[in-house]
Amino acid sequence: MDEPLSPAVTASSRRDAFDRLTFLGWRWGLAAIVAGLALSFFLFGYAVIYWRNADMDFMVIYSALAMNDGKPQHFFDHTAYLTILTVKHWFAFLHGLGLLDAWSLSSIPPSSEATAFDAAMTHAVRAGRLLVLLIAAGSVLIFAALMRAILRDWRVALLATLAFAFSGGIAVHSRILRSELIAALPVVFALLILIIVGRRAGLARPLALGLAAALCVLGLENKVQAILLIGALPLVILPFGSAKSASVGFWRNNPAAWLMTAATTVVAGAAVGMAWPLISAGFDRALIDGAHFRPLLIGRYGVYQTALVALVGACMIAYAAIWRVSVAETLTSMFAVIAGASLTLLLLYLAYDSRNVIAIANPLEKMLTFADAATGEAASGSGISGILRLLLEGIGSVLARYTFVLHSSARPTVFLTWLIVPGIVMVWRRGERLAAFQALAVLLAAIGIDTLGVRRGLKTEYFIFTDPLIILSGAILLDRLSDLRFARWTYVTGMVLLGLHLAIGQAEPVKYAFKRTGPQSICEWNNYYMPLLPLPWCPARS
């Protein structure tokens, strides 16, 4: 039986802002967060008319329906490869249970039967929305588990999870079938895994690095924009070490360690051999020219990809030198990374199409096909002045958005940046320089990725790539500034931030739920993206 708390402990708990903000505890707190996520979904997502979020609901669902009829994938823009495959199998699973009749293209009534068509598409779209709710809820729980392993105080981890679950990114992607969710979060989870295993050495650490590499490729396979987050990750992870990062005894002066390195080398070689046809196809000039790509640098393909591989290797060596990781463990980790990345590439064989392969092999070239005219001209120009000008404009635009006053948006995490910057200064002045470097590195990565995202308007759908980074930066600082929980203003500030976070984070879902515009704008692109699915409200095709 638990002993009763002393009056002193009870008074301390009443003064502790962290206790008051997380009064439900860890398990019930997570349950409340998931329940809130589901409540928001059913109030402002599930019942919204099926064509309201047609971009990209229709595109993903159309491809899934077509693939269930044995037809090839139709949508390749992002590439949304894993999202489409997941929806395809989800529809087949529900159909097998007798819960979904509209599971394939042939099962959708013709557009001339408008009432039956509406009913079938409503069922299909709602089934897809339920799937993304499940993915979002699972992602929140994974984020919570990883954050608790990183932070000293579970209460800070719970507050970070709450901020993540009701961030602008999750608010959008927990009710719309888009490609960003399955692209961004695997890479974010890879970063969190690297932080965990980097801070405390272990025998299986190279395996964790292989898993992180696999998650990065997984994200890239679903949306090429994930390359921006992947490119930042090797640099961001450098400050995340500790006195316990040094290799364990197995990896130091042990012949068995070199045997493990040799075995991992063989596995990596075999994995590369299996993935080599995909790699070759990804850089096949005929296929690339057919996709109307333009080389990003010096008129050649593969330049920045090679540079990224070199950056990963250099950062792994730098990390090993800084945090005393042995040569044997470093080499084993490098080969584990190669093996994890190569094996994950093999997922492209599940529904092979060369258009997916070349997009994933040349992600920046793929992104340029959707860039505005100014970005395209700067990328293809001979000088760097145009690129620098666009970068400076992007940085200014991002900083204006982070103020919220100069450029408002449905992004509650901008309010966290108001506290992160002074928090970094405060931690630095207290002498905790490493924590300051860690928070700064993560925040700068978020700013850099958002700067590049500005060229496409930094839409709410893109917040999912950087919201977790901003939250991680704030959580690192809050975990170090634990004495602030007894300050008089902490609880009030926390409640105000939570209120703003919940209200602003739900702005986009509420807006879409009460929007009154019709579906006519879909007719501008439905012939291109859904050639075999005429819509009742669009003119008949000639």
Side-chain angles (χ1 to χ4, degrees):
M1 185 174 179
D2 295 337
E3 295 182 4
L5 295 174
S6 67
V9 173
T10 304
S12 177
S13 297
R14 285 198 297 268
R15 291 179 54 237
D16 191 329
F18 289 3
D19 278 343
R20 296 171 69 186
L21 291 170
T22 59
F23 63 92
L24 289 176
W26 177 255
R27 291 183 179 178
W28 284 108
L30 287 182
I33 288 170
V34 173
L37 198 65
L39 178 63
S40 171
F41 169 80
F42 284 107
L43 286 177
F44 308 115
Y46 179 74
V48 171
I49 192 165
Y50 72 91
W51 43 257
R52 173 62 67 207
N53 299 318
D55 177 16
M56 299 171 39
D57 274 1
F58 272 14
M59 302 169 188
V60 169
I61 287 175
Y62 173 81
S63 275
L65 293 173
M67 292 179 79
N68 277 334
D69 266 342
K71 295 179 173 59
Q73 178 182 336
H74 280 254
F75 183 82
F76 295 93
D77 287 1
H78 295 169
T79 62
Y81 172 69
L82 296 175
T83 298
I84 292 169
L85 280 185
T86 304
V87 174
K88 169 189 180 297
H89 291 294
W90 173 247
F91 281 3
F93 172 72
L94 293 179
H95 179 70
L97 295 178
L99 299 176
L100 182 66
D101 291 331
W103 73 291
S104 64
L105 207 55
S106 59
S107 66
I108 304 294
S111 59
S112 57
E113 301 175 16
T115 302
F117 180 92
D118 287 346
M121 287 299 294
T122 296
H123 293 155
V125 170
R126 288 182 176 178
R129 290 175 181 170
L130 279 173
L131 174 63
V132 294
L133 172 65
L134 294 175
I135 294 173
S139 299
V140 167
L141 294 177
I142 294 171
F143 183 84
L146 294 174
M147 289 298 289
R148 185 165 185 181
I150 290 172
L151 303 172
R152 299 177 303 176
D153 193 330
W154 66 265
R155 298 170 300 178
V156 178
L158 187 64
L159 292 173
T161 303
L162 177 65
F164 174 66
F166 294 97
S167 62
I170 291 293
V172 170
H173 290 289
S174 61
R175 66 202 80 223
I176 300 177
L177 284 163
R178 289 189 61 93
S179 57
E180 290 88 356
L181 184 67
I182 300 180
L185 293 189
V187 186
V188 171
F189 295 156
L191 172 61
L192 300 182
I193 289 170
L194 290 175
I195 292 173
I196 293 168
V197 300
R199 285 179 168 177
R200 179 172 297 178
L203 178 64
R205 183 159 57 180
L207 186 62
L209 268 70
L211 173 61
L215 289 171
C216 288
V217 174
L218 194 74
L220 184 63
E221 287 177 331
N222 208 53
K223 188 174 178 71
V224 293
Q225 192 172 341
I227 191 65
L228 305 178
L229 187 52
I230 294 169
L233 191 149
L235 296 170
V236 171
I237 198 64
L238 285 176
F240 286 94
S242 72
K244 297 180 180 178
S245 298
S247 296
V248 296
F250 174 84
W251 293 109
R252 293 187 176 277
N253 301 318
N254 185 353
W258 291 105
L259 288 176
M260 184 65 71
T261 303
T264 310
T265 304
V266 172
V267 172
V272 170
M274 289 187 288
W276 191 253
L278 291 169
I279 298 170
S280 298
F283 293 101
D284 185 296
R285 192 59 188 257
L287 293 175
I288 293 174
D289 290 342
H292 305 293
F293 285 4
R294 292 177 297 170
L296 182 65
L297 297 172
I298 63 173
R300 298 175 64 88
Y301 293 100
V303 176
Y304 67 85
Q305 296 91 328
T306 303
L308 178 58
V309 172
L311 175 66
V312 172
C315 287
M316 292 182 73
I317 294 171
Y319 189 96
I322 295 169
W323 302 110
R324 297 182 295 123
V325 180
S326 71
V327 175
E329 184 180 0
T330 302
L331 289 175
T332 304
S333 298
M334 287 180 172
F335 287 120
V337 166
I338 293 171
S342 300
L343 290 174
T344 309
L345 277 177
L346 300 180
L347 290 175
L348 294 173
Y349 282 127
L350 292 176
Y352 180 82
D353 194 295
S354 62
R355 286 171 287 186
N356 283 324
V357 178
I358 60 171
I360 292 161
N362 304 276
L364 295 183
E365 285 84 357
K366 180 65 174 179
M367 291 169 62
L368 279 178
T369 62
F370 297 98
D372 57 24
T375 304
E377 290 174 5
S380 59
S382 57
I384 63 170
S385 59
I387 296 175
L388 290 176
R389 178 179 56 81
L390 291 180
L391 286 176
L392 291 175
E393 290 177 358
I395 292 172
S397 179
V398 168
L399 294 180
R401 284 169 163 83
Y402 281 12
T403 67
F404 190 78
V405 178
L406 298 176
H407 194 299
S408 61
S409 69
R411 188 177 194 180
T413 50
V414 298
F415 298 110
L416 294 181
T417 63
W418 296 6
L419 299 179
I420 290 172
V421 174
I424 291 173
V425 175
M426 185 180 297
V427 168
W428 179 274
R429 294 182 65 180
R430 288 188 177 191
E432 298 194 49
R433 306 292 173 82
L434 184 59
F437 274 124
Q438 291 170 349
L440 180 61
V442 176
L443 180 61
L444 289 177
I447 293 173
I449 295 168
D450 281 342
T451 296
L452 297 175
V454 163
R455 301 317 307 174
R456 293 204 67 195
L458 196 58
K459 298 184 291 185
T460 55
E461 293 86 353
Y462 298 161
F463 295 166
I464 194 68
F465 286 98
T466 49
D467 275 351
L469 300 183
I470 296 172
I471 293 166
L472 173 62
S473 180
I476 291 169
L477 295 172
L478 191 59
D479 197 41
R480 307 307 302 183
L481 299 171
S482 59
D483 57 303
L484 293 181
R485 69 188 189 275
F486 295 114
R488 293 176 56 187
W489 46 265
T490 301
Y491 178 71
V492 174
T493 302
M495 289 299 295
V496 170
L497 280 175
L498 288 177
L500 286 171
H501 200 89
L502 292 174
I504 295 175
Q506 298 302 301
E508 284 295 301
V510 171
K511 181 181 78 174
Y512 273 93
F514 291 97
K515 210 171 182 181
R516 289 292 177 264
T517 56
Q520 286 73 24
S521 61
I522 300 172
C523 301
E524 298 173 4
W525 47 259
N526 75 302
N527 287 348
Y528 177 79
Y529 285 110
M530 303 186 297
L532 301 178
L533 188 65
L535 301 176
W537 58 85
C538 292
R541 298 166 185 169
S542 56

